[in-house]
Amino acid sequence: MSEQAGSSAPGPHRHHKPKQFAPLDFEPFAGGADPARISEAAHLAAQALVRRGRDSDDPVVTKRLVKLADEQGLEAIAEMWAESPARSLPGALWRLYAIRAATIQDPERISVYFRAGKDTAQVSHVVAGAAEPPGADEMKSMADAILSGAFDGEFDVALERSAAFCRVVALGQATLADGAEHSNENHASKLTRNSHLLVKTAEDLEHAANAWRLGELD
């Protein structure tokens, strides 16, 4: 998945779609218009949101931040952050919110992928922190806990947990693709493609976690 920031020079008002990132069969949302203004607003909003969460020890505030996309609509977050570079604070936040949203929307399917990958990706399974057995409810709880940790825990740990979750799901998709290769070639191809994109997202999240530890994620 290629994630490029828009030009810094102001340009005409136009509409476009964000680049694909890690689809858990998750469709892209329409993005914004002016790249320079979008980039500036995205970084300011991301910094304010993380600061708000980390400066508060009120669990109600954390819960409200976790459910921000539920209340405001993921499209609103996508319009602000989906065009940000993957290895930036707004880009990392977008991935945390979008992965949670995809999981909440279809936890049964995500749990199928997770179960198919967890025994092979044992280290990532442990880092992700899913309860056993990892069913639909456990997937939703884990998605909430990971995003919550970005605000009331260590931000880099939340990114690493999300990356590990992506790796387990990606491996599960690849495993299921192998099993479906002869019976449903189109479905197998889609799973394989999504698996590769999800691995790239895991790599971006891991890079962002390291940048956060170095004080370089902005």
Side-chain angles (χ1 to χ4, degrees):
M1 171 186 64
S2 174
E3 302 269 357
Q4 298 293 333
S7 168
S8 60
H13 192 282
R14 59 191 176 88
H15 293 282
H16 53 87
K17 289 185 178 180
K19 282 74 175 176
Q20 272 190 318
F21 72 108
L24 303 174
D25 293 330
F26 193 68
E27 294 299 323
F29 289 93
D34 186 325
R37 292 181 180 179
I38 291 283
S39 178
E40 180 182 10
H43 283 80
L44 291 174
Q47 292 164 7
L49 194 73
V50 172
R51 188 182 308 113
R52 174 75 175 105
R54 297 180 64 78
D55 286 349
S56 174
D57 57 3
D58 186 348
V60 175
V61 171
T62 301
K63 184 177 181 180
R64 186 178 302 129
L65 292 173
V66 169
K67 294 185 177 297
L68 182 65
D70 301 344
E71 297 171 358
Q72 302 296 325
L74 194 63
E75 293 90 343
I77 294 178
E79 189 165 345
M80 182 66 72
W81 291 339
E83 285 293 325
S84 299
R87 300 179 179 190
S88 68
L89 182 59
L93 276 173
W94 161 241
R95 281 153 183 76
L96 290 178
Y97 274 104
I99 290 168
R100 174 189 176 272
T103 304
I104 297 300
Q105 285 180 2
D106 198 347
E108 291 285 355
R109 180 175 53 177
I110 302 305
S111 69
V112 170
Y113 296 154
F114 194 91
R115 287 195 300 271
K118 74 182 184 69
D119 290 335
T120 304
Q122 292 185 4
V123 173
S124 292
H125 174 211
V126 171
V127 173
E132 291 290 343
D137 288 341
E138 287 73 22
M139 292 296 99
K140 291 191 291 184
S141 294
M142 181 172 59
D144 280 348
I146 289 174
L147 185 52
S148 176
F151 303 114
D152 64 7
E154 298 299 327
F155 192 75
D156 56 325
V157 173
L159 295 175
E160 288 178 334
R161 288 187 66 190
S162 187
F165 172 68
C166 289
R167 288 191 178 278
V168 176
V169 171
L171 184 56
Q173 289 175 326
T175 300
L176 294 172
D178 289 341
E181 186 174 3
H182 299 295
S183 60
N184 191 333
E185 186 175 348
N186 288 338
H187 181 56
S189 295
K190 182 177 181 181
L191 284 173
T192 299
R193 182 173 63 253
N194 288 354
S195 174
H196 289 163
L197 291 170
L198 202 53
V199 168
K200 177 61 169 61
T201 292
E203 293 170 352
D204 289 334
L205 288 167
E206 289 160 354
H207 185 280
N210 187 57
W212 176 268
R213 285 192 289 269
L214 295 173
E216 298 174 354
L217 188 67
D218 56 17

